[in-house]
Amino acid sequence: MADPSSYRPEPGQVPDSPGVYKFRDEHRRVIYVGKAKSLRQRLASYFQDLAGLHPRTATMVTTAASVEWTVVSTEVEALQLEYSWIKEFDPRFNVKYRDDKSYPSLAVTMNEDYPRVQVMRGPKKKGVRYFGPYGHAWAIRETVDLMLRVFPVRTCSAGVFKRSAQIGRPCLLGYIGKCSAPCVGRVTPEEHRELAEDFCDFMAGRTGTYLTRLEQQMHEAAEEMEYEKAARLRDDIGALRRAMEKNAVVLADATDADLFAVAEDELEAAVQIFHVRGGRVRGQRGWVTDKVEAVDTAGLVEHALQQLYGEEKGEAVPKEVLVPALPEDTPALSQWLAERRGSQVSLRIPQRGDKKALMETVHRNAQQSLALHKTKRAADLTTRSRALEEIAEALDLDGAPLRIECFDISHLQGDDVVASMVVFEDGLARKGEYRRFQIKSFEGQDDVRSMHEVVSRRFRRYLQEKLKTGEWSPDDAVAAAGVVGGEVDRDTPEDDGRPRRFAYPPQLVVVDGGQPQVAAAKRALEELGIDDVAVCGLAKRLEEVWLPGEDDPVVLPRSSEGLYLLQRVRDEAHRFAIQYQRNKRGKRLKAGPLDEVPGLGESRRLALIKHFGSVKKLRQATIDQICEVPGIGRKTAETVVVALAQAVPAGPAVNTATGEIIEDETPASAGAASDRGTEQ
């Protein structure tokens, strides 16, 4: 625990101007980011008597070891920089909201040649129009089904679209009138895009003009005695009205607004947002957060606004934002929102009428969300605490293993040998900390040797991080690294405060296997001089827990929460390793002869295949013919010819039903590299 006076800035050193400040801990990790109108006044408030600080603030300043600041011109710049740094450094003492569920949205892929309507979850993509989020995916599908009658936009996947174009026949939706069938040329790309834009306009709330136009067309058709057309338009209007009825009118003046409500207690807070477009509730979402910093309702609102609109632009930011409390820097926040929208944004508290009544509804939803979250968390926290205590007792540990790392080896008959490392903290998976490894020191199948290599590499990286921060002496580092033939990076780049990959040691290492694997992991730790990390193995056959140097396993009761947690950790490591191994095997099997040509990248491989149609035809081409492909010089063409001549063509494919030999006219996987991921 640090004394704040040890790193307090000198009087007059801190400027009296707007800016953003960062607190760092002893390892140079950024633990808190804040902004202020006056840096001098705000930072001075942290260095008063600890008894006068909020307990969370006191914990933060005693955890920190230094403070630094950046001066900006305006409060809006401070707001933008604060958001960027919180996103970049992920400080542990800043409020961070997490979704209480993954909400689906209705998406229209306007970035494609033929826009597609579909349900999407997860982060937003550039060039895609989103509507929602909605509480349930089935609600989106019901709405889309009604609207496809009027706006027959494509909803099929890329594979179905391509197949229909190849065979010249649309899918079922094209036959029943719920798709305009651009795949077979019934409409031009421009006409289909107009349909998609009309669909988006209607979903955005611009319904009145469109319905009026349809009604006018219906009356004109009836007057001209085109009764079938009039009947179709009448049914279209009815379908659109039914779709509109699914979102009840809550604000009579066709308002576009987002309403925020907060429910909180001393430890946690829940935020609920209703998205109102055209006076109708078009979506709802919620967040829950731990109050890791001393923050009031206005501060929670400010953090929520930053998280919701930090990546948004244009109409995604509404004209009105209604909140339960105004943040401290309301003018700066309003200006920031206006810059993101491109026009004025009203940020205010509703005082009366329909908007205040709707805000009360949103607040009730926030209260229910917080109550449900606390009920779930209480039960889950109790179970996880009991599991960690049982593991500590069974393995005779000094304390509960708050961080557990598990390693597993995966291969297919000795090929594509890989390993995985998964991390559980406080009994919960930390997927951002997962790592995967390729076995580099030998070829073939040897799980014990592989386990030794992987554990050595993981903890050698940990010792390198300690060396960079000065927690470990260089002589010890070189000695330990030399035992396993590794190298220590003596260059110590300036630490930028971002979370490091292998900086945190676990209290317990779990390996998938029995005595041999446990012994290999323990030997790897001993060779590196690490004696404060416990090791155990979980064997699949009888779910026995093996400890280093013990002839008999530890047998936990089948009903033990500790055993269940170890099984979850082991199974997750197994899943992650198999996934990586299958990906590697798939890429290897897809690899074509062009993948081995030196200096031939993915773009030029694709250009060659597109020009000649297949590897077979490319193999028959001359050097001059290959040089005709844009971007291919004579030297590269010669290299391609030599590589294809040396490559042994695969055996002919045979139709097992007829015995007929199938000619190799299909393009090889020249683009297999497009699926390559980053590997360690």
Side-chain angles (χ1 to χ4, degrees):
M1 180 178 293
D3 182 1
S5 62
S6 64
Y7 62 90
R8 179 173 184 169
E10 295 295 330
Q13 187 177 2
V14 183
D16 187 18
S17 57
V20 183
Y21 54 91
K22 293 182 289 190
F23 281 88
R24 295 178 182 263
D25 64 9
E26 59 182 343
H27 304 300
R28 300 291 297 161
R29 293 188 296 265
V30 176
I31 61 172
Y32 185 74
V33 172
K35 68 179 188 317
K37 293 180 181 179
S38 169
L39 286 170
R40 179 178 300 170
Q41 295 179 18
R42 178 61 57 84
L43 290 179
S45 68
Y46 289 102
F47 296 100
Q48 55 180 289
D49 185 8
L50 290 178
L53 294 176
H54 189 283
R56 296 187 184 90
T57 305
T59 302
M60 187 274 292
V61 297
T62 54
T63 303
S66 63
V67 63
E68 56 194 54
W69 55 87
T70 299
V71 177
V72 297
S73 302
T74 65
E75 296 171 28
V76 177
E77 288 184 24
L79 186 70
Q80 293 171 337
L81 183 58
E82 180 194 33
Y83 171 75
S84 300
W85 278 356
I86 290 175
K87 184 178 178 182
E88 178 180 1
F89 297 115
D90 190 25
R92 57 178 289 198
F93 285 101
N94 279 94
V95 166
K96 295 180 288 292
Y97 291 103
R98 55 185 183 274
D99 278 324
D100 54 7
K101 61 179 74 173
S102 178
Y103 290 95
S105 296
L106 172 60
V108 186
T109 58
M110 301 301 290
N111 56 346
E112 298 182 4
D113 293 335
Y114 296 94
R116 175 190 177 194
V117 176
Q118 60 181 319
V119 178
M120 275 193 181
R121 298 178 187 265
K124 294 186 176 181
K125 301 178 181 178
K126 186 177 181 180
V128 179
R129 292 285 303 275
Y130 290 89
F131 303 96
Y134 290 79
H136 303 281
W138 56 261
I140 303 177
R141 296 189 178 98
E142 282 188 358
T143 301
V144 170
D145 187 62
L146 288 170
M147 295 184 61
L148 287 181
R149 176 185 179 89
V150 187
F151 308 104
V153 186
R154 166 195 165 214
T155 57
C156 61
S157 65
V160 173
F161 186 88
K162 184 178 179 181
R163 177 63 177 165
S164 296
Q166 289 174 342
I167 64 178
R169 293 198 308 271
C171 63
L172 178 61
L173 291 177
Y175 281 109
I176 64 176
K178 289 193 173 181
C179 180
S180 55
C183 54
V184 294
R186 286 187 185 173
V187 295
T188 64
E190 293 76 18
E191 292 171 337
H192 185 265
R193 182 166 290 276
E194 286 181 10
L195 281 173
E197 290 173 350
D198 288 342
F199 181 96
C200 292
D201 287 343
F202 192 89
M203 287 301 301
R206 293 183 280 274
T207 59
T209 303
Y210 197 82
L211 285 173
T212 301
R213 189 167 76 236
L214 286 181
E215 289 175 349
Q216 183 179 353
Q217 293 174 1
M218 179 183 68
H219 292 310
E220 290 174 354
E223 289 175 0
E224 296 174 4
M225 293 186 290
E226 296 180 3
Y227 299 118
E228 290 184 0
K229 179 180 178 181
R232 187 176 67 252
L233 290 169
R234 177 203 61 198
D235 294 341
D236 289 350
I237 294 170
L240 291 181
R241 291 193 187 280
R242 289 195 299 274
M244 292 171 61
E245 288 169 0
K246 290 182 176 295
N247 299 106
V249 175
V250 291
L251 299 177
D253 55 353
T255 300
D256 289 347
D258 284 349
L259 288 85
F260 287 73
V262 178
E264 57 182 309
D265 59 18
E266 287 295 322
L267 300 176
E268 295 174 310
V271 174
Q272 280 286 312
I273 303 107
F274 275 23
H275 302 280
V276 179
R277 300 294 182 269
R280 300 172 183 272
V281 177
R282 297 291 184 179
Q284 173 190 0
R285 66 189 304 180
W287 292 316
V288 181
T289 183
D290 295 320
K291 296 172 69 173
V292 292
E293 62 175 297
V295 62
D296 56 8
T297 302
L300 291 170
V301 168
E302 180 176 336
H303 288 304
L305 293 174
Q306 286 181 310
Q307 176 156 329
L308 183 62
Y309 300 122
E311 303 295 328
E312 302 290 357
K313 288 186 178 180
E315 294 184 355
V317 182
K319 296 178 182 178
E320 276 190 90
V321 178
L322 306 178
V323 296
L326 290 175
E328 178 184 354
D329 300 326
T330 299
L333 199 56
S334 298
Q335 185 178 344
W336 178 70
L337 292 172
E339 290 177 358
R340 306 207 69 80
R341 176 178 169 81
S343 61
Q344 190 64 35
V345 175
S346 172
L347 178 63
R348 62 189 183 86
I349 303 172
Q351 301 294 333
R352 64 183 67 86
D354 294 340
K355 294 176 181 178
K356 182 173 177 59
L358 182 57
M359 178 66 83
E360 292 173 354
T361 301
V362 182
H363 185 254
R364 286 196 297 272
N365 278 266
Q367 289 177 321
Q368 293 173 0
S369 176
L370 180 61
L372 181 61
H373 170 76
K374 293 185 75 67
T375 301
K376 290 181 178 178
R377 181 165 183 173
D380 184 53
L381 183 61
T382 301
T383 302
R384 287 188 281 120
S385 299
R386 186 165 64 249
L388 294 174
E389 290 172 1
E390 289 180 1
I391 292 173
E393 183 179 354
L395 304 185
D396 196 23
L397 304 180
D398 295 334
L402 299 181
R403 181 181 172 104
I404 301 174
E405 294 180 0
C406 184
F407 296 84
D408 186 27
I409 310 296
S410 181
H411 56 81
L412 181 65
Q413 297 180 346
D415 293 329
D416 302 314
V417 184
V418 299
S420 68
M421 181 189 95
V422 301
V423 179
F424 276 59
E425 289 188 351
D426 296 329
L428 297 176
R430 286 289 302 272
K431 294 192 175 182
E433 303 272 332
Y434 287 12
R435 297 291 175 258
R436 55 191 189 182
F437 303 84
Q438 295 183 71
I439 303 304
K440 300 178 179 179
S441 62
F442 66 95
E443 298 287 340
Q445 175 183 349
D446 189 336
D447 288 358
V448 175
R449 190 174 172 187
S450 299
M451 186 65 71
H452 179 274
E453 175 187 334
V454 171
V455 175
S456 297
R457 285 166 58 186
R458 184 266 180 268
F459 282 93
R460 193 185 314 126
R461 291 286 297 274
Y462 160 61
L463 295 181
Q464 289 178 12
E465 295 292 348
K466 290 185 67 178
L467 177 62
K468 291 177 183 179
T469 59
E471 300 175 65
W472 209 47
S473 70
D475 294 337
D476 292 341
V478 173
V483 172
V484 293
E487 296 180 358
V488 173
D489 182 9
R490 285 188 174 276
D491 295 329
T492 307
E494 182 179 351
D495 198 328
D496 57 9
R498 295 182 181 88
R500 297 192 296 274
R501 300 174 68 184
F502 292 98
Y504 311 108
Q507 284 79 46
L508 175 64
V509 167
V510 180
V511 300
D512 183 13
Q515 281 180 308
Q517 287 83 0
V518 173
K522 184 65 175 177
R523 187 171 70 256
L525 293 175
E526 290 176 345
E527 290 171 349
L528 292 170
I530 297 174
D531 56 5
D532 57 350
V533 176
V535 180
C536 74
L538 187 61
K540 291 187 181 71
R541 188 171 65 90
L542 297 175
E543 304 292 9
E544 304 161 326
V545 180
W546 290 92
L547 297 176
E550 298 292 336
D551 295 330
D552 298 317
V554 176
V555 179
L556 295 174
R558 288 290 176 175
S559 60
S560 166
E561 292 292 343
L563 177 61
Y564 177 61
L565 177 57
L566 290 176
Q567 289 172 329
R568 282 178 52 213
V569 173
R570 188 269 317 277
D571 293 344
E572 179 69 355
H574 188 60
R575 179 200 65 79
F576 194 53
I578 285 181
Q579 180 188 53
Y580 183 34
Q581 194 272 335
R582 285 175 177 169
N583 289 341
K584 281 183 61 64
R585 186 172 77 247
K587 292 171 188 173
R588 178 171 55 84
L589 294 177
K590 289 179 183 177
L594 293 180
D595 292 338
E596 303 301 325
V597 178
L600 192 65
E602 179 185 353
S603 298
R604 294 201 288 177
R605 283 200 300 271
L606 291 173
L608 285 170
I609 293 301
K610 184 177 181 180
H611 182 84
F612 291 100
S614 68
V615 173
K616 179 180 178 181
K617 292 181 179 179
L618 176 59
R619 187 177 278 115
Q620 297 169 352
T622 65
I623 293 177
D624 292 334
Q625 290 173 330
I626 295 175
C627 288
E628 295 175 1
V629 179
I632 303 296
R634 188 167 190 85
K635 185 175 180 181
T636 303
E638 293 173 353
T639 307
V640 170
V641 170
V642 172
L644 292 178
Q646 293 176 346
V648 180
V654 179
N655 187 322
T656 56
T658 64
E660 178 185 4
I661 294 179
I662 303 172
E663 291 291 334
D664 178 20
E665 293 295 337
T666 57
S669 61
S674 63
D675 190 37
R676 284 201 173 95
T678 303
E679 299 169 357
Q680 285 185 311

